[in-house]
Amino acid sequence: MFKGSMVALISPMKPDLSLDWEALHKLIEWHIEQGTKAIVAVGTTGESATLNVKEHVEVVSKVVAQVAGRIPVIAGTGANSTSEAIELTQGALDIGADACLLVSPYYNKPSQEGLYQHHKAIAEAVDIPQILYNVPGRTSVDMLPETVIRLSKIDNIIGIKEATGCMQRLQDIRAGVSDDFLLLSGDDASALEFMRLGGCGEISVTANVVPAQTAKMCELMLAGQVEEARAIDEYIQSLHQALFLESNPIPVKWALARMEMCTDAIRLPLTQLSEQYHQPLLDAMKSVEVL
């Protein structure tokens, strides 16, 4: 159910920084048409840090309603407060999300035991499939393989989005979890190699801009057609790099605005893409023929 290219969808906004429901509708239909296999709503790329709880739940609700079962919807419901994560996860269950993505608690830097107890408490409180999300570059805490393996034994913790880009990390986790535990890349630049070594897909920022190519690359990899997949990955590799010239989702929102899919409005403390990065990102977009 959760395999292949899954987009970490932006939350489009109007110039006044209110949520842009018309643009959201357009993006959802485009992704389904282009072959995206699942939508992650209100993750890091969806500006979860600056949406309030009401907005957070409303975005997920609108995505679920519009998708209408055509592809899975995964709600980003992580928080650095366990009680808040439970509230968001329960909200996602109530409005019909298919699963939740829970980033490791950020800023307060829990121990490995704290990470285990945090995710265990959420899993026990809310009966919905849950995917762990390890991205130490943004959270300042690294969920180690042994913690992932412990958590994988909880029935409704079904996988992990691993964003370190470290292939040894993938192999260490894979050695200790069951074959049906989902291993998803959270790093576009290394996603092909991640799948070659046993991953079943990626939760992608790049898929916001080139959904068809990202979906096809994942499809080919999962079918064992490595060289064909590699050709696509090499074609879009410059875009992988350019979309992280500044903190995500600054570049991807700017790119989508150039494609007339939405505005580049973004909430503080994030700001619009610095002028020095405009041309490099434009060049990457032109190289993959989206402009």
Side-chain angles (χ1 to χ4, degrees):
M1 186 176 185
F2 305 107
K3 292 185 177 182
S5 175
M6 292 166 267
V7 65
L9 191 66
I10 67 156
S11 293
M13 296 173 185
K14 298 177 181 178
D16 65 2
L17 301 182
S18 63
L19 291 162
D20 188 339
W21 303 121
E22 183 178 343
L24 181 66
H25 178 93
K26 180 167 67 172
L27 286 166
I28 292 168
E29 291 303 317
W30 185 52
H31 277 288
I32 293 172
E33 173 193 310
Q34 293 288 301
T36 295
K37 299 305 181 187
I39 290 175
V40 176
V42 202
T44 304
T45 310
E47 292 178 75
S48 56
T50 56
L51 269 61
N52 62 39
V53 171
K54 179 179 180 294
E55 290 174 321
H56 193 124
V57 173
E58 191 171 10
V59 171
V60 176
S61 178
K62 287 187 180 293
V63 174
V64 168
Q66 187 179 335
V67 168
R70 288 176 288 174
I71 58 176
V73 175
I74 303 167
T77 60
N80 65 344
S81 160
T82 305
S83 61
E84 181 182 344
I86 289 172
E87 178 185 2
L88 290 169
T89 304
Q90 183 63 53
L93 173 63
D94 293 343
I95 58 185
D98 296 290
C100 290
L101 178 69
L102 291 122
V103 69
S104 298
Y106 39 86
Y107 184 75
N108 44 18
K109 299 179 75 171
S111 65
Q112 295 300 306
E113 183 61 24
L115 289 172
Y116 175 78
Q117 294 296 340
H118 170 81
H119 285 288
K120 178 174 179 286
I122 301 165
E124 290 177 345
V126 189
D127 187 16
I128 188 172
Q130 297 177 23
I131 300 168
L132 310 171
Y133 178 16
N134 186 45
V135 57
R138 295 194 75 134
T139 63
S140 295
V141 63
D142 187 5
M143 184 183 294
L144 299 179
E146 51 265 34
T147 304
V148 177
I149 292 164
R150 284 180 74 194
L151 286 166
S152 74
K153 302 183 189 310
I154 298 172
D155 286 346
N156 57 329
I157 295 180
I158 64 167
I160 184 168
K161 175 185 176 182
E162 173 55 58
T164 60
C166 173
M167 297 306 116
Q168 185 59 52
R169 173 65 58 91
L170 165 64
Q171 293 179 72
D172 291 344
I173 294 171
R174 188 182 181 198
V177 299
S178 63
D179 289 344
D180 60 354
F181 189 75
L182 303 176
L183 300 170
L184 302 168
S185 172
D187 178 62
D188 279 300
S190 61
L192 182 142
E193 184 67 6
F194 189 98
M195 284 184 278
R196 190 184 71 81
L197 294 173
C200 64
E202 65 168 321
I203 295 177
S204 171
V205 175
T206 302
N208 279 281
V209 179
V210 285
Q213 292 93 327
T214 310
K216 188 63 176 178
M217 185 274 287
C218 291
E219 179 186 323
L220 289 167
M221 278 304 301
L222 295 176
Q225 296 176 254
V226 178
E227 292 311 310
E228 293 90 337
R230 194 180 304 281
I232 296 173
D233 188 58
E234 289 174 355
Y235 178 67
I236 61 176
Q237 191 63 226
S238 63
L239 191 60
H240 294 330
Q241 306 300 327
L243 289 174
F244 290 90
L245 286 168
E246 284 193 305
S247 295
N248 178 47
I250 293 172
V252 71
K253 273 199 153 181
W254 190 89
L256 285 169
R258 305 288 85 70
M259 295 167 66
E260 300 184 345
M261 299 298 290
C262 61
T263 76
D264 57 1
I266 194 164
R267 290 182 181 177
L268 289 169
L270 299 182
T271 55
Q272 292 179 344
L273 187 69
S274 299
E275 187 173 353
Q276 64 183 310
Y277 298 125
H278 289 190
Q279 195 59 51
L281 182 47
L282 282 173
D283 290 344
M285 293 172 71
K286 289 175 182 177
S287 76
V288 298
E289 301 178 270
V290 296
L291 288 179

